[in-house]
Amino acid sequence: METLLRRKGILELFDHFFERNVARWGCAAIIAGLLIVFIKFRLGFIFESSDDYAVLFSVAGYYTGHPYPEISFMNYLFTQMFCLLYTACNWIPWYGLYFLGIHWVSGTIFIYSIFAIGSRIHVSKLWLVLFAVVLSFGLLLFPMHRMQFTATAGLIGAAAILLLLTADWNRMSKRENTVLYILSVFCLFLSYLQRAMSGKVAIAFWMVALCYHLFQQKFVNRCKMKQVLTRLAGAMGLFLVLMGVTLAANYYYAHYGDNAEYIQSGYNSYRAEFQDYIRPNVTFDEVQDIAESVGWDQDMWDMLYSMFYFD
């Protein structure tokens, strides 16, 4: 089959088309978009996994009519952004559109990285596209179908790592590599902004990828490390500024927001420790006096004890 395609000049045409970086980005964006369209009409999107339902209704103000940003396990700037959007125009589903956008961007980067890294080996670009389609549908189908904020933050964090590994000073221009570095740290920031725990994991793996990237550029590609380090330093400086603003906003919220006492007292930590980790093997009869003193009956205890969190 490959011989037949080569005779017709299709493979050569495809290979020539993929020599341009913009073609790789465009094709990746189209495939990611088609995946989203497929899910929309065949499976649908679900935004009600774990805590997402409560987050959506809080920041949108659907019950109260007033968008509310102070959610203890979310970054304040992230929720405040949605509150401002819903206040300005509450008939647009901003929360869902954001998730769709993040998944489309993550999918585009995922597929582009296959094209960019795959182009370094001697294989027809047509087979590379087919491989990217199959792999992306297999890996991205479920998380796009059941959109959940922790998993979505993990996807954009993984995209940040792929962008860093895609940069190649032997095959790409200074401008292209600089753009990849900036996009990488911005995606890393989005991962932390959306879900701090996912962001921390992404940052740890990003640092490992950074060490590999520097090793490859110096000892494999024999690049001039001054230009590599200069661009990386600028991108990381941008990341630190964004993180500083986020942490400052979280500090203000934790000390002066409506839930300051709830957070500072440590109750939120104890609540999370019990619900998410410990769940001791204690029956209602053993704690009946304590439970009833705060108004809990057997049903309330069973509800608390059986709570399950995907993340």
Side-chain angles (χ1 to χ4, degrees), residues 34 74 76 84 102 112 138 145 148 151 155 164 178 270 310:
L34 290 175
M74 304 288 283
Y76 182 73
L84 292 174
I102 290 296
Y112 168 78
H145 167 52
Q148 197 269 338
L155 278 178
L164 177 63
T178 303
Y270 299 140
F310 288 97

Side-chain angles (χ1 to χ4, degrees), residues 211-286:
C211 294
Y212 172 80
H213 175 68
L214 292 176
F215 176 86
Q216 184 184 47
Q217 300 309 309
K218 180 172 177 60
F219 296 104
V220 179
N221 292 345
R222 305 292 181 181
C223 300
K224 295 180 180 179
M225 292 306 293
K226 182 178 180 180
Q227 61 179 355
V228 178
L229 295 174
T230 301
R231 268 63 186 184
L232 271 172
M236 293 178 71
L238 173 64
F239 175 74
L240 292 176
V241 170
L242 293 172
M243 286 292 293
V245 173
T246 301
L247 295 175
N250 287 344
Y251 178 86
Y252 178 84
Y253 153 65
H255 288 80
Y256 303 104
D258 295 342
N259 298 326
E261 184 177 352
Y262 169 75
I263 296 174
Q264 293 301 313
S265 66
Y267 180 80
N268 182 54
S269 298
Y270 299 140
R271 186 272 313 159
E273 186 176 356
F274 176 82
Q275 291 181 335
D276 295 344
Y277 301 108
I278 298 179
R279 211 73 59 80
N281 187 23
V282 178
T283 64
F284 177 75
D285 293 335
E286 294 177 76

